[in-house]
Amino acid sequence: MPPVLKPKHSKVDGLAFLGLSLARKSDRGHPESVTHQIAFDLNDVIDRSYEYLQSTNDDGWLVGGGEPRPPKSYKLPAKDSAHVEIMRIGTYNPEWGGIREEEIIEVMKSGKILIPQIEVLPTEVVANGDTPPELEIRFDMPYGPDFVDLTVTLPPNWQLRFIHNQLFKHFYNPSRFCPGAFHSTIVRKAEFRSQKHEDAYFSMCEAVLKKWHLAGPRPLNANPVDDKSGIWLFADRTRPTHFFPPNFLPPYNTEEKRQIILSYLTEEWDEKTLSWKKAQYPEKPVEKKQQEVAAVGGGNFMEWCGNPIEALLGGRSANTTA
């Protein structure tokens, strides 16, 4: 059972949630997909030609424009549903453990939940613990904030934990939970052709992530002139119904705003004990940026990004030692 707040009172499971939409229309995906962000083309980390993967579940690709219709694909056609859950609501029925939709909308519009300008950075592509696994794009905080020097830049993806903790401190419905680390599922039941193909796929993803990391955190706007990267209410992953724009605007380096932000980043929700505990963060790598710059400067980065599968399967070390 998911780590819901009050298992005995969570009567019926549901899929409503508050979170981010990463949906983006693509001529390679479903024709009815819509664009909610142009920061990241998730086609860069999927395998539509099945060079690396042997099979997936019948949904096919959930991101990058979704799963197209025949003759491009013969899996279940579906629009792009790329998203990141911040808080699972479950249902809109309080008797089942959910919250009335009207109450959620009222709270989100009232200003009781501070919504910063959302700027995110994909940190990793991973296979989760399922068998066969789901492939996921993670949006972790790679290190913790500086609680002493308030002038230090906040870590990537701080906005997700900031909003999550506010929501968890405001809503106490029995079915409330967050499904693991902040992530967007790419595909389910991913089976690779071989271990070499799996290694090659993740090497390709690492190259794409390096490119994204050089650009830094990006807002999730539908076009270049938008400036309203906020969060969505979803009835389920295919139906984002209400958008809530930022109401807690930058800059975030003023003492007043930084104190507000840090006050919500000092704790984290423990799914095992269903209680708050002191937040634990990885230490910030001191030389990470310098190492990335040196790595890119030491070779043709775009050439590595564009390597065909044959080169990847041939082994990355073989190319670097030649």
Side-chain angles (χ1 to χ4, degrees):
M1 183 175 184
V4 297
L5 180 61
K6 300 175 183 178
K8 291 183 179 180
H9 300 285
S10 181
K11 303 297 184 182
V12 178
D13 191 20
L15 301 175
F17 67 92
L18 285 160
L20 310 181
S21 175
L22 302 175
R24 177 168 170 163
K25 188 177 181 67
S26 168
D27 58 7
R28 303 174 67 188
H30 195 281
E32 296 177 11
S33 291
V34 298
T35 294
H36 288 155
Q37 62 84 26
I38 57 172
F40 308 104
D41 185 355
L42 301 186
N43 276 300
D44 291 347
V45 292
I46 68 178
D47 179 27
R48 288 195 183 277
S49 60
Y50 287 86
E51 292 180 280
Y52 308 104
L53 290 169
Q54 181 170 305
S55 64
T56 68
N57 80 334
D58 53 10
D59 289 325
W61 301 102
L62 306 177
V63 306
E67 191 68 20
R69 297 166 176 160
K72 292 183 178 180
S73 169
Y74 290 87
K75 289 184 178 287
L76 293 175
K79 296 184 292 183
D80 188 321
S81 60
H83 67 276
V84 178
E85 289 196 42
I86 297 178
M87 185 185 80
R88 176 75 65 89
I89 297 161
T91 71
Y92 295 144
N93 187 341
E95 294 182 0
W96 292 349
I99 315 171
R100 291 186 306 108
E101 182 181 21
E102 296 81 6
E103 179 183 348
I104 298 165
I105 295 170
E106 181 182 352
V107 169
M108 298 305 295
K109 288 184 175 180
S110 71
K112 293 178 181 178
I113 305 299
L114 299 178
I115 306 172
Q117 177 80 11
I118 303 296
E119 295 185 0
V120 296
L121 181 67
T123 52
E124 195 174 10
V125 175
V126 300
N128 75 0
D130 295 350
T131 304
E134 294 183 0
L135 300 182
E136 301 174 348
I137 306 173
R138 295 277 292 268
F139 292 84
D140 298 320
M141 276 179 63
Y143 51 87
D146 193 315
F147 290 95
V148 178
D149 186 350
L150 303 186
T151 65
V152 174
T153 302
L154 289 162
N157 303 322
W158 66 268
Q159 297 96 331
L160 304 186
R161 176 72 65 85
F162 178 67
I163 295 173
H164 169 278
N165 285 4
Q166 290 183 78
L167 293 173
F168 268 47
K169 287 178 179 290
H170 186 91
F171 293 107
Y172 285 89
N173 61 299
S175 296
R176 186 205 76 188
F177 79 101
C178 183
F182 299 123
H183 70 277
S184 180
T185 300
I186 301 173
V187 72
R188 298 188 174 99
K189 296 186 178 180
E191 297 195 70
F192 289 92
R193 296 186 178 277
S194 69
Q195 186 61 55
K196 280 189 173 182
H197 286 81
E198 180 176 350
D199 294 343
Y201 169 77
F202 284 111
S203 292
M204 177 195 74
C205 292
E206 286 176 9
V208 174
L209 288 167
K210 285 183 179 180
K211 178 180 68 174
W212 288 341
H213 287 184
L214 289 174
R218 304 282 300 281
L220 300 178
N221 292 322
N223 60 67
V225 299
D226 272 356
D227 190 21
K228 55 181 182 181
S229 181
I231 66 175
W232 290 82
L233 174 62
F234 292 73
D236 59 55
R237 66 177 172 84
T238 67
R239 292 186 293 160
T241 58
H242 296 80
F243 176 73
F244 306 105
N247 58 21
F248 182 63
L249 300 175
Y252 300 116
N253 57 359
T254 66
E255 183 174 357
E256 180 183 7
K257 288 183 180 178
R258 186 59 64 91
Q259 292 287 5
I260 292 172
I261 293 167
L262 294 179
S263 71
Y264 283 103
L265 299 183
T266 58
E267 294 180 297
E268 61 183 341
W269 183 253
D270 189 326
E271 293 183 346
K272 294 181 180 179
T273 64
L274 300 179
S275 63
W276 294 99
K277 65 179 183 180
K278 183 179 180 181
Q280 300 291 324
Y281 296 105
E283 291 187 11
K284 183 179 181 179
V286 176
E287 298 180 352
K288 185 175 182 181
K289 188 67 178 179
Q290 292 91 324
Q291 291 171 352
E292 287 182 352
V293 172
V296 175
N300 189 330
F301 175 72
M302 296 309 296
E303 180 179 339
W304 167 242
C305 281
N307 265 351
I309 184 173
E310 290 81 4
L312 289 168
L313 292 176
R316 186 174 180 180
S317 61
N319 292 332
T320 56
T321 57

